[in-house]
Amino acid sequence: MSMDAIKMLQGKKILLGVSGSIAAYKAATLIRLLVKEGAEVKVVMTNAATGFITPLTLATLSKNEVPLNISDHDSWNNHVRLGRWADVMLIAPASANTIAKMALGLCDNLLLAVYLSATCPVMFAPAMDEDMWHHPATRSNVDKLISYGHQQIPIATGELASGLFGEGRMAEPEQIVAFLKTHFQQKNGNKPLNGTTAIVTAGPTIEHIDPVRYISNHSSGKMGIAIAEALADAGANVQLVLGPTSQQTSHTGITTIKVQTAQEMFEAVTTRFPHAGIVVAAAAVADYRPANVADRKIKKGEAQLHIDLEKTPDILRSLGDSKGPQQLLVGFSLETNNEKEYALKKLREKHLDLIVMNSLADAGAGFNYDTNKVTLFDKNGQERSFPLKSKQEVAQDIVSAIIELQHA
Ligand code: PMT
């Protein structure tokens, strides 16, 4: 039998929470796809969602009644039963308002009451306008939900209800179904990193000089993204902290947190670190930043311009200083000379478990190439050199070394 013929969600109980967003209309397609995959679907909606799609439509497609209020049917404990019935609670679309209420634990509608009662894994697919998505309140609410162990289905970029183009679209129903399939595959399969949370840093950072200029480097993020994908393939729940780059991933096991500066990367990583089992620092973080950022464009004047630089926080060093016995830290070392000496120094001084050495002296290695040539040194004194390979293959070698170290 081909894999396509196997209904991968056969018998799975999916509790779909639909909140008020224009993307609510996609709930109809989502339910159809889930039912086609063999899933049993029950729907709860907020009253705001009924303005975008009717309960009758969703009840017909799911073949189950769609309750709207805590006192609609049965008795008061309706929400507890629903919450306990599900294998997964999926909130799609998750509006900014519903995300905020979930983060706070508010309970002023049936969807939220069911959410608070749910004992199963929770996933949410945000949908809102780009400015709302980037608002610090939403950022912090999403981070909170992730810290509760919920999975955020990656948001899409495209045309928004406002007519603007940008981030904020709900993932397409097909992507949401793929996300669910990966979830159940990982749950059933015996992947080596199932249940592990991994943080990966990738890409460059930029450090502002004035509103039009910055200091940065040539990192594309390709190496770090390949590692994030290899970790997710091995079953890890991956948080990718990504500096400014056009590279991206649509892997369903990865949540991407975009940052710009070393300081932002430091904050994004250190707040997540207590929940992480593995950290891989593949980012090329600026070591120095302008001590003062001009608030207006610096005008051309003297023949020379001096900019005072100050050190950025060393993210990896700070993790190494505070890591627990079960946490595994992997660093990179990029040099042009004395590569081994510097790599071993970083392994020792930053209290790493493993360091990946790559050199700009090797053709095809380092920034922006699709290939890399690495040597791995671990804390037990083992050294392994690899030939030039694709960054995906290098990522596999690194993940294999991580899994070995976990079992050592
Ligand atoms: O992104 P690509 O184009 O695919 O290129 C991949 C890469 C060359 C960027 C990658 O393979 C790599 O080598 N990344 C680390 C680059 C680097 O900054 O190396 P470093 O030797 O200066 O830093 C040592 C380690 O400390 C690194 O793990 C770095 O992420 C970390 N660090 C450095 C400075 C700082 N302030 N905080 C850090 O966490």
Side-chain angles (χ1 to χ4, degrees):
M1 190 190 291
S2 78
M3 282 304 284
D4 285 347
I6 300 169
K7 288 185 174 175
M8 298 190 57
L9 298 179
Q10 188 68 49
K12 298 290 182 262
K13 297 184 180 115
I14 311 295
L15 181 55
L16 177 64
V18 181
S19 65
S21 153
I22 180 70
Y25 80 91
K26 293 186 189 173
T29 311
L30 180 57
I31 295 168
R32 288 190 70 157
L33 291 176
L34 290 171
V35 170
K36 206 168 145 202
E37 287 287 344
E40 202 181 325
V41 183
K42 289 190 181 178
V43 181
V44 282
M45 309 173 75
T46 62
N47 277 302
T50 63
F52 297 96
I53 189 155
T54 67
L56 182 60
T57 304
L58 302 189
T60 309
L61 291 169
S62 67
K63 302 185 184 72
N64 278 306
E65 283 180 358
V66 176
L68 291 174
N69 302 303
I70 295 176
S71 58
D72 265 352
H73 303 282
D74 295 336
S75 55
W76 65 272
N77 68 350
N78 184 336
H79 56 283
V80 176
R81 238 188 282 150
L82 270 173
R84 294 202 164 201
W85 166 83
D87 291 319
V88 161
M89 180 164 190
L90 165 68
I91 294 121
S95 65
N97 187 41
T98 290
I99 288 174
K101 289 180 178 181
M102 287 163 70
L104 279 174
L106 295 183
C107 188
D108 63 0
N109 63 39
L110 179 63
L111 187 155
L112 293 165
V114 172
Y115 159 68
L116 286 173
S117 314
T119 48
C120 58
V122 174
M123 298 170 187
F124 61 105
M128 63 199 75
D129 258 299
E130 185 169 31
D131 294 336
M132 296 168 81
W133 175 243
H134 288 298
H135 193 284
T138 308
R139 308 280 7 104
S140 127
N141 290 331
V142 167
D143 282 351
K144 253 194 203 154
L145 295 191
I146 292 169
S147 78
Y148 300 160
H150 304 339
Q151 295 181 61
Q152 186 225 310
I153 299 177
I155 201 151
T157 300
E159 201 177 316
L160 302 166
S162 59
L164 298 173
F165 187 93
E167 279 186 319
R169 274 172 75 91
M170 185 176 87
E172 291 306 319
E174 291 76 8
Q175 290 167 321
I176 297 177
V177 171
F179 196 93
L180 275 165
K181 284 182 183 173
T182 307
H183 167 81
F184 285 112
Q185 258 173 1
Q186 290 185 349
K187 199 161 168 252
N188 298 338
N190 216 2
K191 299 205 174 185
L193 297 180
N194 270 353
T196 305
T197 295
I199 300 173
V200 177
T201 69
T205 63
I206 61 173
E207 309 299 331
H208 299 281
I209 297 170
D210 70 10
V212 295
R213 305 176 180 96
Y214 57 79
I215 296 171
S216 190
N217 59 63
H218 299 292
S219 172
S220 63
K222 288 178 189 172
M223 188 68 255
I225 290 173
I227 293 168
E229 291 179 341
L231 286 165
D233 283 341
N237 167 19
V238 181
Q239 317 258 304
L240 172 65
V241 181
L242 183 62
T245 170
S246 58
Q247 300 291 321
Q248 56 182 339
T249 175
S250 54
H251 197 300
T252 52
I254 301 175
T255 301
T256 303
I257 302 104
K258 289 191 180 162
V259 295
Q260 292 214 321
T261 63
Q263 184 63 34
E264 286 172 13
M265 188 172 275
F266 174 80
E267 283 160 21
V269 172
T270 49
T271 52
R272 290 169 174 79
F273 186 50
H275 309 286
I278 298 169
V279 178
V280 182
V285 186
D287 287 321
Y288 289 92
R289 65 186 169 206
N292 298 300
V293 181
D295 57 4
R296 294 189 179 178
K297 183 182 173 189
I298 299 172
K299 299 304 289 176
K300 193 157 51 178
E302 306 297 321
Q304 291 193 341
L305 172 69
H306 295 277
I307 298 172
D308 283 329
L309 300 178
E310 64 182 13
K311 271 194 172 170
T312 56
D314 190 323
I315 305 166
L316 199 51
R317 185 180 292 268
S318 123
L319 301 184
D321 287 342
S322 65
K323 77 167 180 167
Q326 301 306 321
Q327 291 179 303
L328 203 142
L329 265 193
V330 182
F332 267 74
S333 179
L334 178 68
E335 299 289 349
T336 52
N337 55 290
N338 297 342
E339 291 90 344
K340 183 169 175 180
E341 183 195 329
Y342 291 136
L344 290 176
K345 191 165 183 271
K346 287 172 214 174
L347 176 71
R348 204 173 48 247
E349 290 183 352
K350 298 194 185 194
H351 307 298
L352 307 180
D353 299 277
L354 182 72
I355 193 147
V356 183
M357 179 183 91
N358 49 186
S359 171
L360 291 182
D362 287 321
F367 290 133
N368 208 12
Y369 292 108
D370 291 325
T371 50
N372 205 359
K373 184 172 183 300
V374 304
T375 301
L376 307 186
F377 300 97
D378 72 25
K379 62 177 179 190
N380 305 320
Q382 194 176 167
E383 174 178 343
R384 270 173 284 186
S385 291
F386 298 87
L388 190 74
K389 294 180 173 192
S390 73
K391 282 188 172 161
Q392 281 67 30
E393 289 169 309
V394 172
Q396 287 296 342
D397 293 332
I398 295 168
V399 171
S400 300
I402 289 173
I403 293 166
E404 258 177 53
L405 274 171
Q406 273 195 328
H407 295 115

